[in-house]
Amino acid sequence: QVQLAESGGGLVQAGGSLRLSCAASGRTLHNYIMAWFRQVPGKEREFVAGVNWSVGSTWLADSVKGRFTISRDTAKNTVFLRMNTLNVEDTAVYYCAAGNTLRTVTARLEYAYWGQGTQVTVSS
């Protein structure tokens, strides 16, 4: 079992920045993919970013490339999502996810473990 706890969400003006954190516990994350998804009411949860815990390779959704960065601190068992140049379309609940038998990094159903989510609201 992997437990995930997100933090760092909040209200920010358009153009601003936030950094989300996801603290993982319960077992080693070797060979896990850690990812961030987001969801707005009435829409499916969508992939935002992912990182291979063991080697550090990363993936980003096209909509956030150039603005968001995903990273991990293996000593603290924590994944970060740095979000710059935020716009109102980034408003969503952001979820941290973990999975280790993935065929597709961007596929929501591939991830076995999820956090409770943290709200990010961007005002115009």
Side-chain angles (χ1 to χ4, degrees), residues 2 10 15 20 26-28 34 39 58 61 63 84 89 99 102 116-117:
V2 177
L20 305 182
R27 63 172 298 161
T28 177
M34 304 294 294
Q39 188 170 23
T58 61
S63 60
N84 295 328
E89 289 76 26
L102 305 185
Q116 293 298 309

Side-chain angles (χ1 to χ4, degrees), residues 75-98:
K76 296 182 178 179
N77 256 24
T78 301
V79 177
F80 303 100
L81 184 68
R82 177 67 181 182
M83 306 184 294
N84 295 328
T85 319
L86 285 160
N87 56 59
V88 294
E89 289 76 26
D90 296 315
T91 296
V93 177
Y94 283 71
Y95 296 90
C96 182

Side-chain angles (χ1 to χ4, degrees), residues 2 4 24 27-34 53-54 77-78 98:
V2 177
L4 303 172
R27 63 172 298 161
T28 177
L29 297 175
H30 181 63
N31 285 335
Y32 270 74
I33 303 295
M34 304 294 294
W53 185 264
S54 297
N77 256 24
T78 301

Side-chain angles (χ1 to χ4, degrees), residues 51-65:
V51 60
N52 182 305
W53 185 264
S54 297
V55 301
S57 49
T58 61
W59 299 265
L60 289 170
D62 287 343
S63 60
V64 305
K65 283 180 180 176

Side-chain angles (χ1 to χ4, degrees), residues 37-46 48 90-95 108 118-120:
F37 286 74
R38 65 187 181 186
Q39 188 170 23
V40 297
K43 292 189 176 181
E44 289 192 0
R45 195 168 295 187
E46 67 171 0
V48 176
D90 296 315
T91 296
V93 177
Y94 283 71
Y95 296 90
R108 170 177 58 87
T118 185
Q119 176 71 47
V120 171

Side-chain angles (χ1 to χ4, degrees), residues 6 12-13 20 24 41 48 53 67 73-74 82 84 96-97 104 109 111 118-119 123:
E6 303 98 335
V12 63
Q13 286 190 331
L20 305 182
V48 176
W53 185 264
R67 301 188 299 123
D73 185 329
T74 56
R82 177 67 181 182
N84 295 328
C96 182
T104 306
L109 296 179
Y111 290 82
T118 185
Q119 176 71 47
S123 63

